[in-house]
Amino acid sequence: MIQTPAIPRCFNCGEVLKGPFCHACGQEAVDRPLSLRTFLANALDQLFSFRSKTLRSLVYLIIKPGTLTRQYISGQRVRYANPIQIYAICAAVFFLANSYRSFVTITEKNQVVSSLSAMKLGQGLDEVELGELMATGITPEVFRERFRMSVTQSLPQFMIGGIVAFALAVWLFNPRRPFMIHVIFALHWIGFFMLVMSFDRFLPTAETGQSPITGIIVIGTLVHLTLSLRAVYDHGWFRAAISGLGLFMAFNTILAVWVFSVVKFAFWLML
């Protein structure tokens, strides 16, 4: 009696296999990792595959403005890490850099300084607010410590809100494109911005809280934003430059509003 050969099926979902990968769930058509050699081979393959995709994505993010976003939204996604993964990696580096040296601080003269914003942020509290704090027995030193804690605690909320706010700003300049394109663009460009700011934190700073190459960093991030817009949205040079400048100002306004809100929130907590 002739036995019919067993039909190869996916171990994950049970679909009939038609190639080296399951067309239904995407799992590779390999035997179950019941041996140590198979288990280690699969683990190392996935590890190096993730590392390769991540490094490739980060390189594109830094040296090829807009290319990563353009290729992702065009459907070329296997070779690159997901935009949320890229953003999470950049955010982790950003948090580590902030723990080393805070991005936003308040000086003994009650001056709020930040390495993030190209705009001058101004005073932390006015004389009336300082008087209210002193009346409750709270010293400026205690307030400055509370302010630093408020900055750290509000970073996650700001980072999420910043993506949405910046994506909305990009949408205003490109209202005919699907909103998710703007969200992916925001994830990638803000991720790049956080990497640049993290590098800046390890440079020596002046009394203003900014490094000696702050001007170069500001110009570099503006140029990167302009080139990204040109690559993703097919803008001409003039429109890309105008849109880039407008969005850069909008992004710095978002940063300034966040810092102002942190100051007032810290003040509210102390009363």
Side-chain angles (χ1 to χ4, degrees):
M1 182 177 179
I2 301 177
Q3 293 184 348
T4 303
I7 299 175
R9 293 182 178 274
C10 174
F11 287 109
N12 183 54
C13 66
E15 279 288 326
V16 176
L17 293 172
K18 300 180 180 179
F21 292 89
C22 176
H23 68 280
C25 69
Q27 178 168 289
E28 190 175 2
V30 295
D31 198 4
R32 289 163 288 188
L34 299 181
S35 70
L36 179 61
R37 193 177 86 171
T38 305
F39 174 78
L40 291 177
N42 289 345
L44 289 174
D45 180 66
Q46 292 180 15
L47 175 62
F48 286 110
S49 175
F50 173 77
R51 181 178 297 178
S52 175
K53 291 170 61 174
T54 302
L55 289 177
R56 184 186 302 115
S57 300
L58 290 174
V59 169
Y60 271 60
L61 181 70
I62 296 170
I63 69 174
K64 294 188 175 183
T67 301
L68 182 62
T69 307
R70 185 183 183 94
Q71 293 192 359
Y72 186 85
I73 62 180
S74 68
Q76 301 179 41
R77 302 171 187 175
V78 175
R79 299 179 64 239
Y80 307 103
N82 184 279
I84 294 180
Q85 291 176 322
I86 290 296
Y87 182 82
I89 293 171
C90 297
V93 175
F94 186 80
F95 271 105
L96 288 174
N98 184 70
S99 64
Y100 170 73
R101 181 184 294 161
S102 181
F103 289 100
V104 183
T105 58
I106 187 167
T107 67
E108 294 182 358
K109 296 181 180 180
N110 192 40
Q111 182 77 29
V112 176
V113 294
S114 172
S115 66
L116 295 176
S117 179
M119 300 179 179
K120 186 176 180 180
L121 300 176
Q123 293 293 111
L125 296 176
D126 56 34
E127 294 297 328
V128 175
E129 291 171 326
L130 283 173
E132 292 182 20
L133 287 177
M134 297 297 290
T136 59
I138 299 172
T139 64
E141 291 77 14
V142 174
F143 173 76
R144 285 194 290 271
E145 181 60 31
R146 172 61 67 178
F147 175 79
R148 284 189 287 268
M149 292 175 59
S150 298
V151 169
T152 302
Q153 293 173 356
S154 65
L155 270 177
Q157 293 86 343
F158 159 72
M159 293 166 75
I160 296 174
I163 294 171
V164 177
F166 188 64
L168 285 171
V170 178
W171 172 76
L172 290 175
F173 283 84
N174 304 274
R176 296 183 180 180
R177 300 293 185 96
F179 187 70
M180 276 308 302
I181 291 179
H182 310 320
V183 172
I184 295 170
F185 182 89
L187 285 167
H188 282 154
W189 190 80
I190 295 178
F192 164 79
F193 177 81
M194 290 192 295
L195 288 181
V196 173
M197 290 298 100
S198 299
F199 168 76
D200 175 73
R201 285 293 79 192
F202 293 95
L203 299 176
T205 59
E207 293 182 358
T208 59
Q210 297 179 329
S211 70
I213 63 170
T214 295
I216 297 176
I217 291 176
V218 170
I219 294 173
T221 51
L222 175 57
V223 170
H224 191 282
L225 177 57
T226 300
L227 294 176
S228 297
L229 288 167
R230 179 171 166 78
V232 175
Y233 296 99
D234 297 317
H235 290 341
W237 282 110
F238 179 76
R239 184 179 177 184
I242 295 300
S243 299
L245 182 60
L247 287 172
F248 190 71
M249 293 176 63
F251 185 69
N252 277 275
T253 301
I254 294 169
L255 290 172
V257 169
W258 168 62
V259 173
F260 176 80
S261 301
V262 169
V263 173
K264 298 307 176 184
F265 181 66
F267 172 72
W268 176 77
L269 286 178
M270 298 299 289
L271 294 180

PDB file of all heavy atoms in Angstrom, residues 142-170:
ATOM      1  N   VAL A 142      14.565  74.364  47.504  1.00  0.00           N
ATOM      2  CA  VAL A 142      13.592  73.270  47.502  1.00  0.00           C
ATOM      3  C   VAL A 142      12.788  73.281  46.202  1.00  0.00           C
ATOM      4  O   VAL A 142      12.512  72.230  45.616  1.00  0.00           O
ATOM      5  CB  VAL A 142      12.649  73.379  48.716  1.00  0.00           C
ATOM      6  CG1 VAL A 142      11.542  72.332  48.638  1.00  0.00           C
ATOM      7  CG2 VAL A 142      13.439  73.218  50.013  1.00  0.00           C
ATOM      8  N   PHE A 143      12.425  74.473  45.752  1.00  0.00           N
ATOM      9  CA  PHE A 143      11.672  74.564  44.505  1.00  0.00           C
ATOM     10  C   PHE A 143      12.487  74.052  43.324  1.00  0.00           C
ATOM     11  O   PHE A 143      11.965  73.340  42.456  1.00  0.00           O
ATOM     12  CB  PHE A 143      11.241  76.003  44.221  1.00  0.00           C
ATOM     13  CG  PHE A 143      10.607  76.162  42.864  1.00  0.00           C
ATOM     14  CD1 PHE A 143       9.317  75.729  42.633  1.00  0.00           C
ATOM     15  CD2 PHE A 143      11.337  76.713  41.806  1.00  0.00           C
ATOM     16  CE1 PHE A 143       8.749  75.843  41.371  1.00  0.00           C
ATOM     17  CE2 PHE A 143      10.778  76.822  40.550  1.00  0.00           C
ATOM     18  CZ  PHE A 143       9.475  76.406  40.341  1.00  0.00           C
ATOM     19  N   ARG A 144      13.770  74.396  43.275  1.00  0.00           N
ATOM     20  CA  ARG A 144      14.608  73.935  42.166  1.00  0.00           C
ATOM     21  C   ARG A 144      14.702  72.420  42.135  1.00  0.00           C
ATOM     22  O   ARG A 144      14.700  71.802  41.062  1.00  0.00           O
ATOM     23  CB  ARG A 144      16.003  74.577  42.264  1.00  0.00           C
ATOM     24  CG  ARG A 144      16.030  76.041  41.842  1.00  0.00           C
ATOM     25  CD  ARG A 144      17.457  76.522  41.642  1.00  0.00           C
ATOM     26  NE  ARG A 144      18.169  76.628  42.912  1.00  0.00           N
ATOM     27  CZ  ARG A 144      18.170  77.727  43.674  1.00  0.00           C
ATOM     28  NH1 ARG A 144      17.490  78.796  43.292  1.00  0.00           N
ATOM     29  NH2 ARG A 144      18.851  77.754  44.805  1.00  0.00           N
ATOM     30  N   GLU A 145      14.772  71.798  43.303  1.00  0.00           N
ATOM     31  CA  GLU A 145      14.802  70.348  43.364  1.00  0.00           C
ATOM     32  C   GLU A 145      13.483  69.748  42.877  1.00  0.00           C
ATOM     33  O   GLU A 145      13.459  68.762  42.132  1.00  0.00           O
ATOM     34  CB  GLU A 145      15.087  69.884  44.791  1.00  0.00           C
ATOM     35  CG  GLU A 145      15.169  68.377  44.957  1.00  0.00           C
ATOM     36  CD  GLU A 145      16.263  67.752  44.124  1.00  0.00           C
ATOM     37  OE1 GLU A 145      17.295  68.415  43.882  1.00  0.00           O
ATOM     38  OE2 GLU A 145      16.087  66.587  43.692  1.00  0.00           O
ATOM     39  N   ARG A 146      12.366  70.371  43.307  1.00  0.00           N
ATOM     40  CA  ARG A 146      11.056  69.923  42.844  1.00  0.00           C
ATOM     41  C   ARG A 146      10.929  70.108  41.330  1.00  0.00           C
ATOM     42  O   ARG A 146      10.332  69.272  40.637  1.00  0.00           O
ATOM     43  CB  ARG A 146       9.956  70.694  43.575  1.00  0.00           C
ATOM     44  CG  ARG A 146       8.543  70.462  43.047  1.00  0.00           C
ATOM     45  CD  ARG A 146       8.146  69.005  43.158  1.00  0.00           C
ATOM     46  NE  ARG A 146       8.028  68.595  44.541  1.00  0.00           N
ATOM     47  CZ  ARG A 146       7.656  67.379  44.910  1.00  0.00           C
ATOM     48  NH1 ARG A 146       7.389  66.467  43.994  1.00  0.00           N
ATOM     49  NH2 ARG A 146       7.582  67.055  46.185  1.00  0.00           N
ATOM     50  N   PHE A 147      11.494  71.186  40.828  1.00  0.00           N
ATOM     51  CA  PHE A 147      11.453  71.439  39.390  1.00  0.00           C
ATOM     52  C   PHE A 147      12.183  70.341  38.628  1.00  0.00           C
ATOM     53  O   PHE A 147      11.689  69.837  37.606  1.00  0.00           O
ATOM     54  CB  PHE A 147      12.086  72.801  39.079  1.00  0.00           C
ATOM     55  CG  PHE A 147      12.202  73.093  37.612  1.00  0.00           C
ATOM     56  CD1 PHE A 147      11.108  73.519  36.885  1.00  0.00           C
ATOM     57  CD2 PHE A 147      13.415  72.926  36.946  1.00  0.00           C
ATOM     58  CE1 PHE A 147      11.203  73.787  35.533  1.00  0.00           C
ATOM     59  CE2 PHE A 147      13.527  73.188  35.599  1.00  0.00           C
ATOM     60  CZ  PHE A 147      12.429  73.624  34.892  1.00  0.00           C
ATOM     61  N   ARG A 148      13.359  69.955  39.089  1.00  0.00           N
ATOM     62  CA  ARG A 148      14.107  68.887  38.424  1.00  0.00           C
ATOM     63  C   ARG A 148      13.314  67.581  38.430  1.00  0.00           C
ATOM     64  O   ARG A 148      13.308  66.837  37.437  1.00  0.00           O
ATOM     65  CB  ARG A 148      15.468  68.710  39.099  1.00  0.00           C
ATOM     66  CG  ARG A 148      16.479  69.793  38.737  1.00  0.00           C
ATOM     67  CD  ARG A 148      17.859  69.451  39.263  1.00  0.00           C
ATOM     68  NE  ARG A 148      17.942  69.607  40.704  1.00  0.00           N
ATOM     69  CZ  ARG A 148      18.321  70.723  41.313  1.00  0.00           C
ATOM     70  NH1 ARG A 148      18.629  71.794  40.590  1.00  0.00           N
ATOM     71  NH2 ARG A 148      18.384  70.804  42.621  1.00  0.00           N
ATOM     72  N   MET A 149      12.643  67.293  39.530  1.00  0.00           N
ATOM     73  CA  MET A 149      11.824  66.080  39.602  1.00  0.00           C
ATOM     74  C   MET A 149      10.654  66.170  38.630  1.00  0.00           C
ATOM     75  O   MET A 149      10.297  65.181  37.974  1.00  0.00           O
ATOM     76  CB  MET A 149      11.322  65.882  41.025  1.00  0.00           C
ATOM     77  CG  MET A 149      12.404  65.539  42.037  1.00  0.00           C
ATOM     78  SD  MET A 149      11.765  65.448  43.731  1.00  0.00           S
ATOM     79  CE  MET A 149      10.528  64.156  43.557  1.00  0.00           C
ATOM     80  N   SER A 150      10.050  67.348  38.521  1.00  0.00           N
ATOM     81  CA  SER A 150       8.909  67.528  37.619  1.00  0.00           C
ATOM     82  C   SER A 150       9.323  67.337  36.169  1.00  0.00           C
ATOM     83  O   SER A 150       8.580  66.767  35.366  1.00  0.00           O
ATOM     84  CB  SER A 150       8.307  68.926  37.812  1.00  0.00           C
ATOM     85  OG  SER A 150       7.822  69.092  39.119  1.00  0.00           O
ATOM     86  N   VAL A 151      10.521  67.818  35.810  1.00  0.00           N
ATOM     87  CA  VAL A 151      11.018  67.648  34.447  1.00  0.00           C
ATOM     88  C   VAL A 151      11.156  66.166  34.118  1.00  0.00           C
ATOM     89  O   VAL A 151      10.693  65.685  33.074  1.00  0.00           O
ATOM     90  CB  VAL A 151      12.369  68.366  34.264  1.00  0.00           C
ATOM     91  CG1 VAL A 151      13.011  67.968  32.933  1.00  0.00           C
ATOM     92  CG2 VAL A 151      12.186  69.869  34.327  1.00  0.00           C
ATOM     93  N   THR A 152      11.790  65.412  35.025  1.00  0.00           N
ATOM     94  CA  THR A 152      12.001  63.985  34.792  1.00  0.00           C
ATOM     95  C   THR A 152      10.678  63.233  34.705  1.00  0.00           C
ATOM     96  O   THR A 152      10.487  62.377  33.825  1.00  0.00           O
ATOM     97  CB  THR A 152      12.858  63.389  35.919  1.00  0.00           C
ATOM     98  OG1 THR A 152      14.109  64.082  35.976  1.00  0.00           O
ATOM     99  CG2 THR A 152      13.122  61.912  35.673  1.00  0.00           C
ATOM    100  N   GLN A 153       9.740  63.565  35.596  1.00  0.00           N
ATOM    101  CA  GLN A 153       8.454  62.861  35.621  1.00  0.00           C
ATOM    102  C   GLN A 153       7.594  63.177  34.407  1.00  0.00           C
ATOM    103  O   GLN A 153       6.785  62.351  33.985  1.00  0.00           O
ATOM    104  CB  GLN A 153       7.699  63.210  36.903  1.00  0.00           C
ATOM    105  CG  GLN A 153       8.356  62.672  38.173  1.00  0.00           C
ATOM    106  CD  GLN A 153       7.689  63.184  39.433  1.00  0.00           C
ATOM    107  OE1 GLN A 153       6.766  64.001  39.385  1.00  0.00           O
ATOM    108  NE2 GLN A 153       8.155  62.716  40.584  1.00  0.00           N
ATOM    109  N   SER A 154       7.754  64.357  33.843  1.00  0.00           N
ATOM    110  CA  SER A 154       6.901  64.752  32.719  1.00  0.00           C
ATOM    111  C   SER A 154       7.496  64.399  31.363  1.00  0.00           C
ATOM    112  O   SER A 154       6.837  64.584  30.338  1.00  0.00           O
ATOM    113  CB  SER A 154       6.630  66.264  32.769  1.00  0.00           C
ATOM    114  OG  SER A 154       7.839  66.996  32.573  1.00  0.00           O
ATOM    115  N   LEU A 155       8.727  63.899  31.334  1.00  0.00           N
ATOM    116  CA  LEU A 155       9.350  63.553  30.056  1.00  0.00           C
ATOM    117  C   LEU A 155       8.535  62.539  29.242  1.00  0.00           C
ATOM    118  O   LEU A 155       8.322  62.747  28.043  1.00  0.00           O
ATOM    119  CB  LEU A 155      10.769  63.029  30.283  1.00  0.00           C
ATOM    120  CG  LEU A 155      11.894  64.061  30.288  1.00  0.00           C
ATOM    121  CD1 LEU A 155      13.225  63.388  30.587  1.00  0.00           C
ATOM    122  CD2 LEU A 155      11.958  64.817  28.979  1.00  0.00           C
ATOM    123  N   PRO A 156       8.060  61.426  29.844  1.00  0.00           N
ATOM    124  CA  PRO A 156       7.291  60.466  29.025  1.00  0.00           C
ATOM    125  C   PRO A 156       6.041  61.089  28.408  1.00  0.00           C
ATOM    126  O   PRO A 156       5.740  60.860  27.225  1.00  0.00           O
ATOM    127  CB  PRO A 156       6.928  59.358  30.028  1.00  0.00           C
ATOM    128  CG  PRO A 156       7.956  59.467  31.101  1.00  0.00           C
ATOM    129  CD  PRO A 156       8.264  60.922  31.213  1.00  0.00           C
ATOM    130  N   GLN A 157       5.290  61.881  29.209  1.00  0.00           N
ATOM    131  CA  GLN A 157       4.080  62.512  28.685  1.00  0.00           C
ATOM    132  C   GLN A 157       4.423  63.506  27.564  1.00  0.00           C
ATOM    133  O   GLN A 157       3.723  63.585  26.552  1.00  0.00           O
ATOM    134  CB  GLN A 157       3.329  63.239  29.803  1.00  0.00           C
ATOM    135  CG  GLN A 157       2.750  62.315  30.860  1.00  0.00           C
ATOM    136  CD  GLN A 157       3.746  61.986  31.959  1.00  0.00           C
ATOM    137  OE1 GLN A 157       4.945  62.176  31.803  1.00  0.00           O
ATOM    138  NE2 GLN A 157       3.241  61.500  33.088  1.00  0.00           N
ATOM    139  N   PHE A 158       5.517  64.245  27.767  1.00  0.00           N
ATOM    140  CA  PHE A 158       5.915  65.205  26.740  1.00  0.00           C
ATOM    141  C   PHE A 158       6.302  64.486  25.454  1.00  0.00           C
ATOM    142  O   PHE A 158       5.960  64.937  24.350  1.00  0.00           O
ATOM    143  CB  PHE A 158       7.096  66.046  27.226  1.00  0.00           C
ATOM    144  CG  PHE A 158       7.859  66.680  26.100  1.00  0.00           C
ATOM    145  CD1 PHE A 158       7.312  67.737  25.392  1.00  0.00           C
ATOM    146  CD2 PHE A 158       9.106  66.203  25.731  1.00  0.00           C
ATOM    147  CE1 PHE A 158       8.009  68.312  24.330  1.00  0.00           C
ATOM    148  CE2 PHE A 158       9.798  66.768  24.681  1.00  0.00           C
ATOM    149  CZ  PHE A 158       9.258  67.831  23.989  1.00  0.00           C
ATOM    150  N   MET A 159       7.009  63.373  25.571  1.00  0.00           N
ATOM    151  CA  MET A 159       7.479  62.679  24.384  1.00  0.00           C
ATOM    152  C   MET A 159       6.318  62.136  23.566  1.00  0.00           C
ATOM    153  O   MET A 159       6.342  62.162  22.327  1.00  0.00           O
ATOM    154  CB  MET A 159       8.441  61.566  24.799  1.00  0.00           C
ATOM    155  CG  MET A 159       9.731  62.101  25.402  1.00  0.00           C
ATOM    156  SD  MET A 159      10.709  60.861  26.268  1.00  0.00           S
ATOM    157  CE  MET A 159      11.392  59.962  24.907  1.00  0.00           C
ATOM    158  N   ILE A 160       5.282  61.647  24.235  1.00  0.00           N
ATOM    159  CA  ILE A 160       4.097  61.166  23.516  1.00  0.00           C
ATOM    160  C   ILE A 160       3.320  62.344  22.926  1.00  0.00           C
ATOM    161  O   ILE A 160       2.946  62.339  21.752  1.00  0.00           O
ATOM    162  CB  ILE A 160       3.197  60.343  24.456  1.00  0.00           C
ATOM    163  CG1 ILE A 160       3.933  59.079  24.907  1.00  0.00           C
ATOM    164  CG2 ILE A 160       1.889  59.966  23.748  1.00  0.00           C
ATOM    165  CD1 ILE A 160       3.193  58.274  25.952  1.00  0.00           C
ATOM    166  N   GLY A 161       3.094  63.353  23.761  1.00  0.00           N
ATOM    167  CA  GLY A 161       2.374  64.532  23.277  1.00  0.00           C
ATOM    168  C   GLY A 161       3.125  65.247  22.173  1.00  0.00           C
ATOM    169  O   GLY A 161       2.510  65.803  21.245  1.00  0.00           O
ATOM    170  N   GLY A 162       4.464  65.246  22.261  1.00  0.00           N
ATOM    171  CA  GLY A 162       5.266  65.914  21.245  1.00  0.00           C
ATOM    172  C   GLY A 162       5.113  65.270  19.886  1.00  0.00           C
ATOM    173  O   GLY A 162       5.101  65.967  18.857  1.00  0.00           O
ATOM    174  N   ILE A 163       4.986  63.938  19.850  1.00  0.00           N
ATOM    175  CA  ILE A 163       4.795  63.248  18.571  1.00  0.00           C
ATOM    176  C   ILE A 163       3.489  63.683  17.928  1.00  0.00           C
ATOM    177  O   ILE A 163       3.439  64.026  16.743  1.00  0.00           O
ATOM    178  CB  ILE A 163       4.804  61.724  18.784  1.00  0.00           C
ATOM    179  CG1 ILE A 163       6.176  61.250  19.252  1.00  0.00           C
ATOM    180  CG2 ILE A 163       4.414  60.997  17.493  1.00  0.00           C
ATOM    181  CD1 ILE A 163       6.186  59.806  19.694  1.00  0.00           C
ATOM    182  N   VAL A 164       2.421  63.669  18.718  1.00  0.00           N
ATOM    183  CA  VAL A 164       1.102  64.038  18.191  1.00  0.00           C
ATOM    184  C   VAL A 164       1.094  65.496  17.736  1.00  0.00           C
ATOM    185  O   VAL A 164       0.608  65.823  16.640  1.00  0.00           O
ATOM    186  CB  VAL A 164       0.013  63.801  19.246  1.00  0.00           C
ATOM    187  CG1 VAL A 164      -1.350  64.261  18.728  1.00  0.00           C
ATOM    188  CG2 VAL A 164      -0.042  62.328  19.640  1.00  0.00           C
ATOM    189  N   ALA A 165       1.645  66.396  18.575  1.00  0.00           N
ATOM    190  CA  ALA A 165       1.651  67.817  18.243  1.00  0.00           C
ATOM    191  C   ALA A 165       2.478  68.090  16.991  1.00  0.00           C
ATOM    192  O   ALA A 165       2.069  68.869  16.111  1.00  0.00           O
ATOM    193  CB  ALA A 165       2.187  68.629  19.426  1.00  0.00           C
ATOM    194  N   PHE A 166       3.627  67.444  16.884  1.00  0.00           N
ATOM    195  CA  PHE A 166       4.479  67.676  15.714  1.00  0.00           C
ATOM    196  C   PHE A 166       3.849  67.071  14.462  1.00  0.00           C
ATOM    197  O   PHE A 166       3.928  67.663  13.377  1.00  0.00           O
ATOM    198  CB  PHE A 166       5.861  67.081  15.954  1.00  0.00           C
ATOM    199  CG  PHE A 166       6.866  67.440  14.897  1.00  0.00           C
ATOM    200  CD1 PHE A 166       7.244  68.755  14.704  1.00  0.00           C
ATOM    201  CD2 PHE A 166       7.431  66.467  14.088  1.00  0.00           C
ATOM    202  CE1 PHE A 166       8.172  69.100  13.722  1.00  0.00           C
ATOM    203  CE2 PHE A 166       8.360  66.790  13.115  1.00  0.00           C
ATOM    204  CZ  PHE A 166       8.730  68.115  12.934  1.00  0.00           C
ATOM    205  N   ALA A 167       3.215  65.907  14.598  1.00  0.00           N
ATOM    206  CA  ALA A 167       2.528  65.304  13.450  1.00  0.00           C
ATOM    207  C   ALA A 167       1.400  66.205  12.954  1.00  0.00           C
ATOM    208  O   ALA A 167       1.183  66.339  11.743  1.00  0.00           O
ATOM    209  CB  ALA A 167       1.986  63.924  13.829  1.00  0.00           C
ATOM    210  N   LEU A 168       0.697  66.830  13.884  1.00  0.00           N
ATOM    211  CA  LEU A 168      -0.354  67.784  13.496  1.00  0.00           C
ATOM    212  C   LEU A 168       0.234  68.979  12.763  1.00  0.00           C
ATOM    213  O   LEU A 168      -0.345  69.478  11.789  1.00  0.00           O
ATOM    214  CB  LEU A 168      -1.123  68.244  14.735  1.00  0.00           C
ATOM    215  CG  LEU A 168      -2.104  67.236  15.337  1.00  0.00           C
ATOM    216  CD1 LEU A 168      -2.623  67.743  16.681  1.00  0.00           C
ATOM    217  CD2 LEU A 168      -3.269  66.981  14.387  1.00  0.00           C
ATOM    218  N   ALA A 169       1.392  69.444  13.239  1.00  0.00           N
ATOM    219  CA  ALA A 169       2.047  70.568  12.573  1.00  0.00           C
ATOM    220  C   ALA A 169       2.469  70.183  11.155  1.00  0.00           C
ATOM    221  O   ALA A 169       2.299  70.967  10.211  1.00  0.00           O
ATOM    222  CB  ALA A 169       3.263  71.023  13.390  1.00  0.00           C
ATOM    223  N   VAL A 170       3.000  68.975  10.988  1.00  0.00           N
ATOM    224  CA  VAL A 170       3.382  68.509   9.652  1.00  0.00           C
ATOM    225  C   VAL A 170       2.149  68.387   8.766  1.00  0.00           C
ATOM    226  O   VAL A 170       2.187  68.719   7.576  1.00  0.00           O
ATOM    227  CB  VAL A 170       4.116  67.156   9.737  1.00  0.00           C
ATOM    228  CG1 VAL A 170       4.472  66.639   8.341  1.00  0.00           C
ATOM    229  CG2 VAL A 170       5.386  67.281  10.576  1.00  0.00           C
TER     230      VAL A 170
END
